[in-house]
Amino acid sequence: MTTLLHLDASPRPGRSGTDEHGSHTRRLTDHFVTQWRRLRPGDAVMRRDIGARPPALTTVEWIQAAFTASDRHQPWMKEVLAESDALVQEVLDADILVLGVPMYNFSYPAAFKAWIDNIVRVGRTVDFDPSNPEDPFTPLLADRPRHAVILSSRGGFGMNPGGPLAHVNHLEASIRTALEFIGIERFHEIAIEHQEEGGERLEASIADALSRVDALVDELRRIREPVPACA
C-alpha cells in the first residue's frame, strides 16, 4: 500500500473552476488525489490543511524542547512539541507528499514555512554529529524512496527553469533544499501561471497543468506497483 500526504498551504478555502476566487493549488492537489484514488482506491491518504490551520511558529519554548533529549523532556515540553510531532509523523509515514503551495512574493506562504520549521527536527528527521565537522548532518528519511509533488501557482509567468524570470522564483528550490536535507530526494514540479493576467493564457496554463498531473499520477502509480514475479 502507498500512503499519500495531501497538504494544502493556500488560505483560499475553495478550488478554482469550482468556487469563486478558489485556489489553483487546491484544484491541482485535489485533482492529483482524486485521480490517484480512482486508480488505487486501497491506498491511504492523510489530509493536512495548513492554509486553513497554520502550524504554530517556533518559539523559545519550542527551541528549548526540541533541543532537549527526549528522555529529559518535562511534561510542558511534550505539550509544546505535540503539533510538531504529529506533523513529523505524517511525513515519516508518507510515500508521496502532494504539496499545494502558491507563490507569494517570490516564495511560499508563511504557513508553509512554519510547516518546514516544524518538520526539520534534529533527532526526528535529521541527525547531527558535532564530532564530524565536515559532514555533521545525516538525513533520517533516506530509509526508503519518498516522492515530493510540488503543485504551485504564480501570478506571473516565465518562472520555470530557463524562463526569463526563473531567477526570482525561490519557491521550488527552497522546498527541495529543506526536504533533501531530511532525506527526500525525488521531486516533481507542476505550476499554473498567468493568474494575474487571466483569460485564455491562464486557462491554457490550467489545462496544461491538469494534463501534466494526470501523466504524473500514471508515472508514480507505475513506480509504486510491484513487479509481478516470473512464473
Side-chain angles (χ1 to χ4, degrees):
M1 185 179 71
T2 296
T3 299
L4 275 61
L5 172 58
H6 173 189
L7 182 145
D8 283 311
S10 174
R12 297 184 185 220
R15 302 189 301 273
S16 68
T18 303
D19 303 288
E20 186 177 9
H21 307 300
S23 162
H24 292 302
T25 56
R26 288 182 185 271
R27 181 174 183 177
L28 293 181
T29 58
D30 179 78
H31 189 71
F32 184 103
V33 172
T34 298
Q35 294 298 96
W36 189 275
R37 279 178 159 157
R38 181 178 64 83
L39 296 170
R40 294 177 58 99
D43 286 347
V45 178
M46 299 177 289
R47 184 75 173 91
R48 175 66 65 170
D49 191 342
I50 63 172
R53 293 174 295 278
L57 301 179
T58 54
T59 62
V60 64
E61 292 82 10
W62 188 99
I63 294 170
Q64 183 179 351
F67 286 91
T68 298
S70 59
D71 60 352
R72 296 172 53 202
H73 272 180
Q74 300 176 33
W76 70 265
M77 292 181 175
K78 295 179 179 180
E79 182 178 349
V80 166
L81 293 176
E83 181 183 38
S84 176
D85 286 339
L87 297 174
V88 166
Q89 193 61 51
E90 289 172 352
V91 176
L92 292 172
D93 291 342
D95 299 296
I96 301 174
L97 284 66
V98 184
L99 309 175
V101 190
M103 175 181 283
Y104 284 8
N105 298 317
F106 316 113
S107 189
Y108 36 65
F112 191 82
K113 180 59 166 65
W115 180 75
I116 290 290
D117 289 343
N118 273 277
I119 67 164
V120 178
R121 288 259 309 271
V122 171
R124 294 300 311 275
T125 56
V126 63
D127 264 345
F128 175 71
D129 181 4
S131 68
N132 183 14
E134 293 187 2
D135 189 18
F137 297 104
T138 300
L140 297 181
L141 273 72
D143 57 319
R144 69 175 191 270
R146 289 180 175 85
H147 295 259
V149 177
I150 304 172
L151 303 174
S152 186
S153 63
R154 308 162 187 156
F157 61 94
M159 297 182 187
N160 286 323
L165 292 178
H167 63 286
V168 304
N169 178 4
H170 303 290
L171 189 147
E172 288 90 349
S174 183
I175 296 174
R176 289 196 305 271
T177 296
L179 296 185
E180 284 175 346
F181 186 66
I182 63 175
I184 299 174
E185 298 180 341
R186 294 160 177 82
F187 295 93
H188 314 270
E189 302 166 9
I190 299 172
I192 291 172
E193 295 193 315
H194 302 282
Q195 185 174 352
E196 291 180 356
E197 175 186 351
E200 293 182 359
R201 297 180 77 178
L202 171 60
E203 292 305 314
S205 185
I206 293 171
D208 177 68
L210 292 172
S211 177
R212 291 176 62 197
V213 167
D214 288 338
L216 179 57
V217 167
D218 190 56
E219 174 190 345
L220 293 179
R221 175 185 63 85
R222 294 176 186 275
I223 291 172
R224 296 296 305 175
E225 287 180 352
V227 178
C230 296

